[in-house]
Amino acid sequence: AAGVIQSPRHLIKEKRETATLKCYPIPRHDTVYWYQQGPGQDPQFLISFYEKMQSDKGSIPDRFSAQQFSDYHSELNMSSLELGDSALYFCASSLYLASGGEIRSTDTQYFGPGTRLTVL
Amino acid sequence: AQSVTQLGSHVSVSEGALVLLRCNYSSSVPPYLFWYVQYPNQGLQLLLKYTSAATLVKGINGFEAEFKKSETSFHLTKPSAHMSDAAEYFCAVKVPGKLQFGAGTQVVVTP
């Protein structure tokens, strides 16, 4: 079965540079989530999109922005990178609204392999 | 607010022994609970989920978890540990718009 695809898998940047992370959800999934996992920590929710509209926002710095495109892929843009931004960034996708129009209240999130960002 | 607490940041088990990972939840409404596993340098893989259909949930790789409302628990078990079970395990609760994760439990399996 197709899974969530993230690119790149690894990224090395200098301080104050910008980075763009891409996420391709499971086909037909309508919701995308971004999480940040620092070293030795649990994943922290950043932001989510449902049908190309931002649906929820967590502890995402103002230096970060994200969007979901018409093909449902999502990009996380990170500017003025800081050393503390070094982390594993996960994208997850879920199906909120099934084809029959019923809401899938469990909307299980399936995670991608992550992008490891290192800021030097 | 809904949250989960994982007891024990590190667990060491012998190969073939019982694996027990503890997770307690805090929720004023029936929760949706999940267990994810993260192998080194990899993403989060769904092990199993509780969605109120059955209190005993069977997942992949021989894992199962039992939802106990009286104890507000959702502990993960596997009867016989395998070396390939060495990983980090996260309990999570679905809150509006996102998953709230526990701090994780690192499992080490010794021969």
Side-chain angles (χ1 to χ4, degrees):
Chain A
V4 176
I5 297 172
Q6 290 188 247
S7 68
R9 293 292 309 277
H10 300 273
L11 191 58
I12 299 176
K13 291 286 185 179
E14 300 277 345
K15 279 196 309 183
R16 291 180 290 277
E17 285 191 324
T18 62
T20 297
L21 280 54
K22 297 185 179 183
C23 168
Y24 298 85
I26 292 172
R28 293 184 296 281
H29 278 194
D30 50 22
T31 306
V32 167
Y33 311 79
W34 286 96
Y35 291 82
Q36 177 191 58
Q37 185 181 30
Q41 298 179 11
D42 57 289
Q44 295 293 317
F45 172 73
L46 292 177
I47 195 167
S48 63
F49 293 87
Y50 166 66
E51 283 292 338
K52 293 150 278 184
M53 298 288 289
Q54 180 183 308
S55 58
D56 214 335
K57 198 171 183 179
S59 50
I60 183 170
D62 292 340
R63 299 177 289 109
F64 294 5
S65 65
Q67 57 182 324
Q68 186 180 30
F69 295 86
S70 57
D71 64 351
Y72 293 96
H73 95 272
S74 178
E75 294 184 4
L76 177 66
N77 298 291
M78 310 160 72
S79 63
S80 302
L81 287 169
E82 302 173 356
L83 296 178
D85 296 328
S86 296
L88 198 52
Y89 290 83
F90 288 112
C91 172
S93 74
S94 70
L95 178 61
Y96 179 72
L97 201 62
S99 58
E102 69 275 20
I103 294 174
R104 296 166 58 96
S105 58
T106 58
D107 57 314
T108 301
Q109 295 182 28
Y110 296 91
F111 284 76
T115 294
R116 183 169 295 281
L117 172 66
T118 302
V119 182
L120 302 176
Chain B
Q2 299 181 70
S3 65
V4 289
T5 302
Q6 291 183 242
L7 301 176
S9 59
H10 288 81
V11 169
S12 182
V13 296
S14 300
E15 192 174 16
L18 171 72
V19 179
L20 170 60
L21 304 182
R22 301 179 187 274
C23 174
N24 287 90
Y25 69 88
S26 171
S27 176
S28 58
V29 298
Y32 291 135
L33 296 163
F34 304 81
W35 275 101
Y36 286 87
V37 60
Q38 184 176 29
Y39 297 103
N41 299 312
Q42 293 189 29
L44 295 162
Q45 182 179 8
L46 179 68
L47 274 178
L48 50 80
K49 61 183 179 182
Y50 168 74
T51 58
S52 75
T55 57
L56 183 61
V57 182
K58 293 187 183 299
I60 62 171
N61 302 340
F63 284 93
E64 63 180 37
E66 185 172 9
F67 176 78
K68 291 187 177 181
K69 186 177 179 181
S70 60
E71 299 177 7
T72 62
S73 68
F74 189 56
H75 301 334
L76 181 72
T77 61
K78 181 173 180 177
S80 177
H82 192 273
M83 296 299 290
S84 62
D85 295 325
E88 184 143 26
Y89 293 78
F90 291 96
C91 181
V93 62
K94 180 178 178 295
V95 300
K98 64 180 181 180
L99 287 174
Q100 187 74 44
F101 288 90
T105 299
Q106 186 73 44
V107 172
V108 173
V109 183
T110 57

